[in-house]
Amino acid sequence: MSRKTVIVANFKLNLLAEEAKNYTLELIEALRSEPSETTVVIAPVYTAIPAVSGALDGAHIALAAQDIAAQVSGAFTGEVSAPFLLEFGCRYVIVGHSERRRLFGENDEIVAKKARAAVDGGLIPIVCVGETLEERERGEAESVVETQLRAVLDHCPEGSEIVTAYEPVWAIGTGKTASVEDAEKMHRFIRTVLGSERGDNTSILYGGSVNADTAPALLSSADIDGALVGGASLKVASFLPIIRAAAK
Ligand code: PGA
């Protein structure tokens, strides 16, 4: 376990299986001539996971789900848990994305249980934290992020591998990106909350309107270990420059 550069494509509710498969094949082809140390991760819709998994066929791109059940199996209609994701080669899972917190009522406890379910199930949770604009304006950004993160840390055994993503809610899908200084400040804060050992070993990604223009400055910061990309990840042509910007 160590801090590595990670760039994640979060498709959200976009790209049908066939589209996601073609995207994956195009991305593999594009990266073939540009070997790098960066861990590139694709998070498609659940139903596209088998198609993307088949297209990856051993390529150096990791597969992620966008959510996970807190349970393992049983009478939980509509849920998908770790063994079902592992079956298709998923390595990562996004948990606590602000859209799930805001639109689907996931609170810190649910997010923490999902992160624990991922860890116990052999997946690496990409734990999303971030404040709303009102919270930032009230000067509560750090306390909100700390509360969200501590809930997860309290549930996951010391030594379990997690990735953290700082995603200010006001920057997601809005075209507004946190300044490099604000993002760095929060990333350093998150590292102190993680504690010395965990902080040294946990990749902290930035997310929120990352694109080809904003990625170079964000990713050149020593405190920003990668990016969680939504809109700009939907086309290989707009995702590739972000992967390239990470090769620092
Ligand atoms: P965005 O989404 O890049 O479209 O802002 C990021 C995310 O929600 O993970």
Side-chain angles (χ1 to χ4, degrees):
M1 188 169 82
S2 65
R3 226 173 119 183
K4 46 190 181 215
T5 306
V6 184
I7 304 290
V8 186
N10 175 12
F11 289 173
K12 308 192 179 185
L13 190 50
N14 294 292
L15 303 191
L16 294 165
E18 186 69 12
E19 295 168 321
K21 183 184 98 179
N22 291 336
Y23 174 109
T24 304
L25 293 172
E26 191 185 334
L27 184 61
I28 292 169
E29 195 49 42
L31 293 177
R32 201 182 299 282
S33 55
E34 308 178 25
S36 89
E37 298 289 299
T38 303
T39 300
V40 177
V41 183
I42 300 179
V45 175
Y46 281 137
T47 52
I49 286 176
V52 171
S53 174
L56 284 174
D57 190 29
H60 286 295
I61 294 175
L63 186 53
Q66 298 175 16
D67 189 21
I68 185 170
Q71 303 81 7
V72 177
S73 66
F76 302 104
T77 302
E79 293 295 285
V80 179
S81 65
F84 297 83
L85 299 174
L86 286 176
E87 196 179 11
F88 289 99
C90 285
R91 180 97 186 90
Y92 294 85
V93 59
I94 299 169
V95 297
H97 190 281
S98 64
E99 285 152 15
R100 297 225 53 90
R101 293 179 190 261
R102 191 165 46 89
L103 304 172
F104 301 98
E106 292 191 11
N107 58 25
D108 287 345
E109 190 188 344
I110 294 173
V111 173
K113 284 184 175 155
K114 288 185 169 193
R116 177 66 192 251
V119 167
D120 287 349
L123 292 161
I124 301 167
I126 300 169
V127 179
C128 301
V129 294
E131 80 288 354
T132 62
L133 188 56
E134 299 72 49
E135 288 162 343
R136 173 158 284 264
E137 284 171 352
R138 286 202 298 267
E140 296 169 359
E142 290 190 348
S143 64
V144 167
V145 165
E146 178 167 7
T147 304
Q148 291 173 340
L149 193 54
R150 285 214 188 277
V152 169
L153 298 179
D154 289 349
H155 266 71
C156 295
E158 191 73 36
S160 42
E161 184 169 2
I162 66 167
V163 168
T164 306
Y166 169 54
E167 297 210 302
V169 178
W170 47 271
I172 295 176
T174 57
K176 292 183 197 154
T177 315
S179 68
V180 176
E181 294 71 32
D182 283 346
E184 278 178 329
K185 191 164 168 257
M186 186 60 88
H187 280 229
R188 280 197 291 268
F189 175 72
I190 289 172
R191 220 172 283 291
T192 60
V193 174
L194 287 166
S196 58
E197 201 185 320
R198 224 170 191 153
D200 286 344
N201 290 305
T202 301
S203 303
I204 306 175
L205 319 184
Y206 171 80
S209 299
V210 176
N211 58 35
D213 295 332
T214 57
L218 286 161
L219 293 170
S220 63
S221 164
D223 295 301
I224 300 176
D225 300 318
L228 178 49
V229 188
S233 75
L234 293 177
K235 290 203 163 62
V236 170
S238 49
F239 190 46
L240 261 183
I242 301 172
I243 298 173
R244 290 184 182 131
K248 54 189 177 188

